[in-house]
Amino acid sequence: MEETAQNGADEIKPVSDTLLVLSKDTNKIEMVKGVDKDGNLQKFPPNEMQESGQLIRVDKHGDLFSNFFSNFYRQLKNPSHFNFFKVSEYDAVNTAKDLQQYVDQASLEEKEKLKEYEVLPKNTNPSKNQNTMENNTETQEYRFQPEQIDWKTMEKFGLNQEKLEKLNAMDPLLRGFKTNTLIPITINLGTAVSKMDVRLSLQTADNGEVAVNLHGIRKEPNYNLKFLGHEFTDEDKKNLKESGNMGRVVDLVNPRTDEIIPSVISRDRLTNELVAYRAEYIKIPDEIKGIKLDDHQKQTLLEGRPLYLEGMTSKKGELFDATVQFNADKRYVEFIFNNNQSQQQSQSNQQGQKNDGEAPSVFRGKELDDAQYDKFKAGQTVYIDGLTDSKGKAYQGYITFNQETSKTDFSFTNPNKMKEKAQPSKDHKTQKAVNSDGKTNEATKNIKEPLESKQQQPANKHQEAQQKKPTRSKGRKM
């Protein structure tokens, strides 16, 4: 039964919940009015409350409140600067005053107890987040069990449990994810047989059974069509094509329930399928490769936007810089290295060359310092570190600018050292001089056969005889 309250005009109206906020900076309890367009919290002291219209009014039902609060929390610029408490609209003013009195007198240990009553964004109903509205299954060990899979259907695709295990596909499937790689399948229709590569996933159907989803490869998404009610802007299309992530949170419509769901959108880079993920389920780590994220950086990632981080540390202990962004398909924060290394190198070359053969000043996202660039444009080999591959692993190597082709040659080892190693040793110098360069070795000058490796003297009696035999001078007939 809906709780009600009676005002001065004897009008009966439903009572909703509202929010109180404790500012960690001011230690003041205030009433929450909303969030402005810049993400700043709108609030006012309880003694300034004139009418309930100033307050946020939230439906008391659990799921609806949790969905509201998650969206509300996401819009704030610095949500971690505040503690929020859900109270009845009817008791809000008195509760705020009592809470302020408690905060003013409480010790640090007692204030810690307030966290037991604080409201935080929560995943209230992850079972609703299926298909492109997938839930974050990282919070659970396994979503499915092998015996739940329809193996008869799998057999029609030429698959079984043993084959999927060999392809390392079982673990992501059971966790509720798509397979990490493309899986070759065969579809036998009797009169026709079709072979294709797909990503597989599992989904609980309406009847409770576990269905197999095939995610086939497409040339590219159709950006001209609405995606779950969202119409792509030119910027959306550009971001999805280049980085694979749209870069912002938008309202999508669940086609089954018509529920409005703030979500991020990414492109599956293996299949070109568009994938959406609820914004309220996004989880941002406190630290990425040794860099502790502040509130502003976390908020940037929560909003789906890219974040450039400098000075991260790889597993090898080497520093590197990269852009990070939440990916709706992978469901975690990923590294983005200008799409891919080859494109990045091409763009860097184009930027530096300006179509006039000039050496580029940037290689694979790494800018050369003045000393490096002077050597590089002069055609000398330059050592460069701080490079990062597509999997986030740091590496280093040597680059040389080919002035004839206006291209940059890269090698993991110093090509100058390689040339030095390629020079023949003293043992091989005689062989190279005689066989390749047409020079004469006094000890073998009469031997007709090519010299063997390391050979500097006649190798057998036959060659000794040849060497001792005097050569005839070739005179000209008169």
Side-chain angles (χ1 to χ4, degrees):
M1 183 176 178
E2 184 72 47
E3 184 181 350
T4 60
Q6 190 170 2
N7 63 13
D10 294 328
E11 179 187 355
I12 302 298
K13 62 177 184 178
V15 174
S16 300
D17 282 333
T18 190
L19 290 173
L20 300 181
V21 61
L22 169 62
S23 173
K24 296 180 182 178
D25 298 328
T26 64
N27 210 37
K28 296 294 184 184
I29 297 290
E30 296 180 280
M31 323 287 281
V32 176
K33 186 176 181 179
V35 180
D36 66 20
K37 62 179 181 179
D38 296 321
N40 298 311
L41 182 66
Q42 296 175 312
K43 56 190 187 301
F44 59 93
N47 58 2
E48 294 183 10
M49 180 176 172
Q50 301 297 324
E51 55 184 16
S52 61
Q54 292 179 277
L55 289 173
I56 275 184
R57 300 184 67 192
V58 188
D59 195 300
K60 297 174 68 67
H61 297 295
D63 287 354
L64 295 176
F65 176 85
S66 186
N67 287 337
F68 158 79
F69 186 70
S70 295
N71 297 335
F72 169 86
Y73 196 84
R74 174 179 56 78
Q75 295 174 50
L76 288 178
K77 263 187 180 178
N78 301 300
S80 61
H81 289 186
F82 306 100
N83 300 105
F84 293 96
F85 304 92
K86 181 179 72 168
V87 298
S88 168
E89 174 193 7
Y90 184 70
D91 297 323
V93 175
N94 290 333
T95 303
K97 292 178 180 178
D98 292 342
L99 192 55
Q100 183 67 67
Q101 186 177 2
Y102 175 83
V103 169
D104 291 338
Q105 299 176 356
S107 64
L108 291 176
E109 292 77 11
E110 290 173 325
K111 286 181 181 179
E112 282 295 311
K113 293 181 180 179
L114 280 179
K115 291 184 177 180
E116 299 176 15
Y117 306 98
E118 182 183 358
V119 290
L120 294 169
K122 292 183 179 179
N123 298 354
T124 57
N125 195 359
S127 63
K128 289 184 179 180
N129 201 15
Q130 299 171 352
N131 262 348
T132 54
M133 301 291 182
E134 295 166 319
N135 66 297
N136 191 345
T137 51
E138 295 174 6
T139 59
Q140 58 190 50
E141 186 65 20
Y142 287 109
R143 183 177 172 185
F144 303 102
Q145 297 299 320
E147 55 269 20
Q148 292 179 280
I149 298 176
D150 184 355
W151 292 111
K152 288 185 178 180
T153 299
M154 285 289 194
E155 288 176 5
K156 294 179 181 179
F157 302 141
L159 300 173
N160 53 40
Q161 184 171 347
E162 182 181 0
K163 186 172 183 178
L164 290 174
E165 287 175 348
K166 287 182 179 179
L167 294 171
N168 296 319
M170 281 297 291
D171 189 73
L173 280 176
L174 297 180
R175 292 181 187 274
F177 294 95
K178 286 191 282 190
T179 54
N180 297 326
T181 58
L182 293 170
I183 306 295
I185 67 168
T186 301
I187 300 178
N188 193 335
L189 302 177
T191 56
V193 176
S194 176
K195 294 184 178 181
M196 64 181 71
D197 292 334
V198 301
R199 292 181 76 180
L200 300 173
S201 69
L202 302 176
Q203 177 190 347
T204 303
D206 293 336
N207 59 6
E209 296 181 358
V210 176
V212 180
N213 287 339
L214 304 181
H215 305 272
I217 301 173
R218 59 207 71 189
K219 185 177 180 181
E220 65 176 1
N222 189 342
Y223 297 113
N224 295 322
L225 296 178
K226 287 186 177 182
F227 177 72
L228 298 174
H230 174 68
E231 188 169 347
F232 295 107
T233 65
D234 291 339
E235 185 70 16
D236 292 340
K237 297 174 186 177
K238 178 177 179 290
N239 291 339
L240 286 165
K241 288 177 181 178
E242 292 182 356
S243 72
N245 303 316
M246 197 170 76
R248 64 189 181 111
V249 175
V250 293
D251 288 336
L252 302 182
V253 181
N254 188 315
R256 294 184 180 179
T257 64
D258 291 331
E259 178 187 4
I260 304 298
I261 306 173
S263 306
V264 291
I265 302 174
S266 296
R267 173 176 56 85
D268 183 332
R269 298 190 185 100
L270 292 179
T271 66
N272 281 324
E273 177 186 21
L274 294 177
V275 180
Y277 189 76
R278 286 179 181 258
E280 65 181 297
Y281 292 161
I282 294 177
K283 289 190 174 181
I284 305 301
D286 293 328
E287 184 178 299
I288 298 178
K289 295 292 183 181
I291 300 297
K292 189 172 182 180
L293 302 181
D294 59 32
D295 294 335
H296 177 73
Q297 291 171 321
K298 289 182 179 180
Q299 188 65 23
T300 296
L301 294 174
L302 283 169
E303 293 171 1
R305 294 186 286 133
L307 174 68
Y308 186 72
L309 294 178
E310 295 180 331
M312 289 181 285
T313 307
S314 70
K315 290 182 179 179
K316 293 183 179 180
E318 298 173 345
L319 297 178
F320 71 99
D321 308 330
T323 297
V324 296
Q325 190 173 23
F326 186 86
N327 182 288
D329 179 48
K330 298 177 181 178
R331 289 179 264 180
Y332 57 74
V333 176
E334 65 172 351
F335 293 100
I336 298 177
F337 301 98
N338 287 354
N339 304 333
N340 57 66
Q341 294 293 352
S342 60
Q343 181 180 359
Q344 186 176 21
Q345 181 180 2
S346 173
Q347 291 173 344
S348 299
N349 285 343
Q350 290 172 8
Q351 179 183 359
Q353 291 163 15
K354 298 178 182 178
N355 298 322
D356 58 5
E358 183 183 345
S361 60
V362 178
F363 178 75
R364 298 182 184 175
K366 177 74 173 182
E367 186 170 359
L368 305 181
D369 60 34
D370 293 340
Q372 287 176 316
Y373 185 65
D374 288 342
K375 292 181 179 179
F376 180 61
K377 69 179 181 181
Q380 299 180 37
T381 297
V382 174
Y383 173 77
I384 185 170
D385 61 2
L387 303 174
T388 313
D389 64 21
S390 59
K391 295 185 178 179
K393 297 189 179 296
Y395 68 99
Q396 56 283 321
Y398 298 83
I399 55 174
T400 309
F401 181 62
N402 189 323
Q403 295 172 332
E404 294 181 0
T405 62
S406 296
K407 291 184 178 180
T408 300
D409 298 325
F410 174 82
S411 174
F412 285 102
T413 54
N414 191 336
N416 294 333
K417 295 290 184 182
M418 294 298 291
K419 288 178 181 177
E420 292 175 9
K421 290 181 180 179
Q423 295 298 321
S425 65
K426 292 181 179 180
D427 292 335
H428 294 272
K429 280 185 176 179
T430 301
Q431 176 194 10
K432 179 179 183 297
V434 174
N435 294 350
S436 301
D437 300 338
K439 296 182 180 180
T440 301
N441 175 39
E442 191 65 27
T444 60
K445 65 180 181 179
N446 295 330
I447 297 175
K448 298 179 180 180
E449 298 89 349
L451 297 187
E452 298 293 333
S453 174
K454 300 184 181 182
Q455 183 178 353
Q456 298 182 37
Q457 301 291 335
N460 50 49
K461 291 182 178 181
H462 175 66
Q463 288 187 356
E464 288 176 359
Q466 283 185 328
Q467 178 63 19
K468 290 178 181 179
K469 186 177 180 180
T471 56
R472 294 180 181 178
S473 60
K474 295 182 180 180
R476 191 172 54 171
K477 278 189 178 183
M478 300 296 294

